[in-house]
Amino acid sequence: MATSNSLLSEEQFLCPICLDVFVRPVSTPCGHNFCMSCITTYWTDIPVCLCPVCKETFERRPDLKVNTFISELASQFMSLQVADAHIWSSDQQQARGGGAAVLCDVCTSDSQQEAVKSCLECLTSYCDVHLEPHHRAASLKRHTLVDPLPNLENRICRQHTRFLSQYCRNDELLLCDICAASHHANHDVFPAQRVYKEMKALLGDREAKVQWMIHERLQKVRAVKESVKQSQTKTKDAIENSVRDMTTLVSEIQKSQTEFVNMMEKKQKEAEEQADKFISGMEQEINELQRTTVRLRELKQIEDQLGFLKSCPTSPLLPHTMDLSTFTFNRHEEIRHMQKSLSESVSQLRILLNRMNTQIKEIADSTYVSNDTMLRYMRQYPVDVVLDPNTAHPLLILSDDRKQVRYSSSGVWRHQIVSPNMFSEHLAVLGQTGFSSYKFYFEVFVGAKTEWCLGVATASVQRRGALVRSPGCGLWAIWFLEDKFETFSSPNVPVYLGKVERVGVFVDYDKGHVYFYDLQAATLIYSFTQCVFTEQLYPYFNPCDNEYGSNLDPMIIVPVHLTEWTEDSESQ
């Protein structure tokens, strides 16, 4: 690097460790110079204190002091570097978009010339004419001249009138060499040129990062806009298709209703016509029979034997009549049968409609998730459920591990201990442990049972006598009967059709939700929502009796295997 003073070279002021101009230079006993922070760090990282240049070893770490002479020379050298590096002139002018020329501070405003040099001691910029005394006068020749700089007063230390060549990272201040040595001796002070380059590089990195962030966000905005367009199209299609399907369904239901009404009216008309024809025939036969009765009475009144025998035919005077056993009229039974069949179909349709409304509500509440996803989520909260024999009805038999319960009609359970907590009428048993917060999940195998009841009950659920089937009874359970499900609290209202083998029960205590899932089909059987739980909940099991056929198989609490479920789901 060229300088304005050929007696000084850059190599003379470079630290052998950081290879940059000295900052707070110190001299080791062997005569080599280093930045104080560089040599201090170097000795901290090695076990033996030695000189990095000549490798001379010191028995103890030298007490180093800043070499003020070398520091002064380094400061002057840094001042002379300004013109060549263009740190404070050309770069800032480029930052301002080229910037205006620096004018001579001595020229009058009428004929102000462009400056050729700036004096760091005079804090003045001079044109060629007014610079001449600095070349002639001995006292001015010692001043430091650099390329023209604007705002010189902002580049000089006001206290020491020296060039601001250092930068303190701790205080984020520009310093002269005297300030750096006196007031910032223990701070991280570096040459302003070095910090400038580092910060410029850092700004470049940050600018690149910001540009990339802008690029990412623009891509994201474009993707979201495109997604919105697709969503609009899909929403429009979904609305049109759903409205068309529902309208078709409503139309078909209305058509079925019309056909049903017409069919019923036609059947009724045919039945009435048949009945009218039968009644008309019966009326004719009655008239004939009445006339026959009169004829028979007349014959009975003839006293003359010969006359009687001549008048009375040998065959009975009975008219031809219909065999009444061949005619039946049980239209009301046909109507009852048709109404029952229709009610079953309407119940199935209502179940599907309720399921559709539930899904619509879940989507509206942003809570809709697939059954597979919901099952994987619920299986993260398994609990170990064991049955409590103190609550079991006397006709129930528990397995030794208290994981199974079945009905037995052969008498009292062999290990029965009379307990006030047992169910006296319902064939039920509770789990050993109650839950009063958070979430819990368990699974039950019911196999081919024809009737059973499963759910959760409060600690205060009624144990003695019949349990009233109402929403406030303290029991949230589903009841399976042959081929359909209903809730315990709402009898005779089907909520799901078909049989299941394995049931998952999930309770979110804090949200007030209870879910029942058919694990084989990965389908929701029923869910209680918006429940208010105020006490502990216990798993509830009721294997039921043989009212609907052989039902002696047990209800079995089975272990929850999340990995098994994941593999099964993936294989499907």
Side-chain angles (χ1 to χ4, degrees):
M1 180 183 292
T3 68
S4 58
N5 191 337
S6 60
L7 296 178
L8 300 176
S9 65
E10 184 176 14
E11 290 76 10
Q12 293 174 290
F13 300 99
L14 296 182
C15 171
I17 296 177
C18 67
L19 302 180
D20 208 337
V21 178
F22 288 123
V23 176
R24 299 177 63 209
V26 295
S27 300
T28 60
C30 59
H32 294 103
N33 301 312
F34 307 92
C35 297
M36 176 176 281
S37 60
C38 292
I39 189 63
T40 301
T41 304
Y42 179 80
W43 283 343
T44 302
D45 296 337
I46 60 176
V48 180
C49 190
L50 54 79
C51 174
V53 177
C54 66
K55 307 302 180 183
E56 181 177 345
T57 304
F58 311 111
E59 294 182 0
R60 62 179 182 177
R61 179 178 295 192
D63 184 14
L64 302 177
K65 303 293 184 183
V66 175
N67 190 320
T68 56
F69 177 72
I70 298 177
S71 179
E72 177 71 20
L73 291 178
S75 177
Q76 292 183 13
F77 176 76
M78 287 297 298
S79 298
L80 295 175
Q81 281 186 312
V82 176
D84 293 332
H86 302 286
I87 296 175
W88 310 105
S89 58
S90 60
D91 285 343
Q92 288 197 355
Q93 290 175 3
Q94 291 176 4
R96 295 194 303 268
V102 178
L103 300 179
C104 177
D105 295 327
V106 182
C107 293
T108 60
S109 58
D110 295 337
S111 59
Q112 198 169 18
Q113 301 294 317
E114 185 175 341
V116 295
K117 292 291 180 181
S118 294
C119 177
L120 299 181
E121 279 75 19
C122 299
L123 299 182
T124 305
S125 297
Y126 300 99
C127 63
D128 284 331
V129 175
H130 295 112
L131 183 63
E132 190 274 335
H134 280 73
H135 298 306
R136 175 172 46 80
S139 60
L140 297 177
K141 286 182 179 181
R142 292 193 295 270
H143 287 191
T144 303
L145 299 177
V146 297
D147 285 344
L149 296 173
N151 303 321
L152 278 172
E153 64 277 4
N154 295 331
R155 305 169 190 274
I156 303 299
C157 176
R158 298 181 183 275
Q159 182 178 0
H160 304 105
T161 320
R162 299 178 70 86
F163 187 66
L164 299 174
S165 60
Q166 308 294 319
Y167 183 81
C168 176
R169 290 190 181 275
N170 300 82
D171 297 331
E172 298 182 354
L173 292 175
L174 283 167
L175 310 170
C176 69
D177 55 337
I178 297 177
C179 290
S182 58
H183 304 301
H184 299 262
N186 297 322
H187 288 187
D188 294 329
V189 178
F190 299 94
Q193 180 183 4
R194 172 181 168 184
V195 176
Y196 169 79
K197 292 179 180 178
E198 292 175 354
M199 293 183 69
K200 288 278 282 190
L202 179 61
L203 290 177
D205 294 341
R206 289 182 179 175
E207 182 183 7
K209 183 177 181 180
V210 169
Q211 290 298 325
W212 174 248
M213 293 171 67
I214 293 174
H215 175 70
E216 283 185 323
R217 280 150 181 78
L218 288 174
Q219 283 188 325
K220 191 67 174 180
V221 169
R222 285 193 293 269
V224 171
K225 288 182 178 179
E226 181 63 26
S227 179
V228 169
K229 291 181 180 179
Q230 294 179 1
S231 176
Q232 290 173 342
T233 303
K234 295 294 184 182
T235 299
K236 182 179 178 181
D237 293 342
I239 291 174
E240 291 177 353
N241 294 336
S242 299
V243 169
R244 182 178 63 250
D245 293 343
M246 292 182 182
T247 301
T248 302
L249 180 61
V250 171
S251 176
E252 291 176 354
I253 292 175
Q254 291 176 340
K255 181 180 177 181
S256 298
Q257 177 183 342
T258 301
E259 291 177 351
F260 176 77
V261 171
N262 292 336
M263 182 271 296
M264 293 293 290
E265 291 177 346
K266 180 181 178 181
K267 289 285 186 181
Q268 181 64 27
K269 183 177 180 181
E270 291 175 351
E272 290 176 358
E273 291 176 351
Q274 183 183 10
D276 290 342
K277 184 177 180 181
F278 175 78
I279 292 171
S280 177
M282 289 298 101
E283 289 176 347
Q284 292 179 6
E285 290 186 0
I286 290 170
N287 291 332
E288 289 292 330
L289 290 171
Q290 287 176 344
R291 285 193 292 272
T292 300
T293 301
V294 173
R295 177 64 178 157
L296 291 174
R297 288 176 179 174
E298 290 175 351
L299 290 173
K300 286 171 61 178
Q301 293 176 358
I302 299 176
E303 298 294 337
D304 182 10
Q305 294 181 355
L306 294 176
F308 175 81
L309 293 174
K310 289 180 179 181
S311 301
C312 182
T314 57
S315 60
L317 297 175
L318 295 177
H320 177 73
T321 59
M322 181 188 301
D323 184 1
L324 295 181
S325 63
T326 63
F327 180 83
T328 58
F329 191 86
N330 55 354
R331 175 63 179 164
H332 59 284
E333 289 294 332
E334 295 179 7
I335 294 174
R336 187 181 65 81
H337 177 72
M338 286 188 292
Q339 185 176 6
K340 180 180 179 181
S341 300
L342 182 63
S343 297
E344 291 177 353
S345 299
V346 171
S347 296
Q348 296 178 20
L349 185 61
R350 184 177 290 109
I351 290 172
L352 296 176
L353 184 61
N354 289 338
R355 188 176 300 173
M356 181 181 69
N357 290 334
T358 300
Q359 291 179 348
I360 293 174
K361 184 178 184 301
E362 289 175 345
I363 295 173
D365 295 340
S366 299
T367 59
Y368 176 79
V369 293
S370 68
N371 288 330
D372 287 349
T373 302
M374 186 63 181
L375 279 172
R376 278 193 291 270
Y377 168 76
M378 294 188 305
R379 284 190 167 213
Q380 300 178 71
Y381 304 95
V383 291
D384 183 21
V385 177
V386 294
L387 302 175
D388 183 3
N390 292 325
T391 64
H393 187 279
L395 294 180
L396 297 183
I397 296 179
L398 307 187
S399 61
D400 292 338
D401 62 358
R402 291 190 288 165
K403 292 287 186 178
Q404 302 183 25
V405 56
R406 66 181 178 87
Y407 165 74
S408 173
S409 59
S410 60
V412 179
W413 181 31
R414 62 182 181 276
H415 299 304
Q416 177 63 40
I417 300 176
V418 178
S419 168
N421 295 323
M422 72 169 51
F423 287 91
S424 63
E425 184 164 334
H426 283 263
L427 299 173
V429 59
L430 298 181
Q432 182 78 50
T433 305
F435 305 90
S436 60
S437 64
Y438 205 49
K439 308 173 180 69
F440 62 94
Y441 173 83
F442 59 95
E443 294 180 0
V444 180
F445 180 80
V446 293
K449 290 180 66 62
T450 58
E451 183 185 8
W452 49 267
C453 187
L454 176 66
V456 291
T458 60
S460 61
V461 66
Q462 183 179 339
R463 316 284 178 90
R464 297 293 183 179
L467 182 58
V468 179
R469 298 183 65 176
S470 65
C473 64
L475 175 60
W476 294 266
I478 54 174
W479 198 316
F480 174 73
L481 303 105
E482 293 189 286
D483 60 353
K484 63 179 178 297
F485 287 84
E486 60 187 47
T487 64
F488 182 85
S489 57
S490 299
N492 303 321
V493 180
V495 295
Y496 189 79
L497 298 178
K499 294 184 177 182
V500 302
E501 291 185 356
R502 186 164 172 164
V503 182
V505 183
F506 176 71
V507 178
D508 189 331
Y509 189 99
D510 298 328
K511 291 185 178 180
H513 294 168
V514 183
Y515 296 90
F516 298 89
Y517 271 85
D518 175 1
L519 297 180
Q520 188 173 10
T523 304
L524 178 66
I525 299 174
Y526 189 76
S527 64
F528 294 94
T529 59
Q530 298 180 345
C531 306
V532 179
F533 303 133
T534 58
E535 53 183 305
Q536 285 189 324
L537 297 179
Y538 291 81
Y540 172 92
F541 303 82
N542 187 334
C544 298
D545 55 19
N546 291 333
E547 180 181 356
Y548 295 94
S550 179
N551 192 37
L552 298 180
D553 292 338
M555 299 176 73
I556 305 173
I557 303 168
V558 293
V560 178
H561 299 296
L562 181 58
T563 54
E564 173 187 324
W565 167 252
T566 303
E567 292 171 357
D568 291 344
S569 300
E570 292 175 352
S571 64
Q572 294 174 2

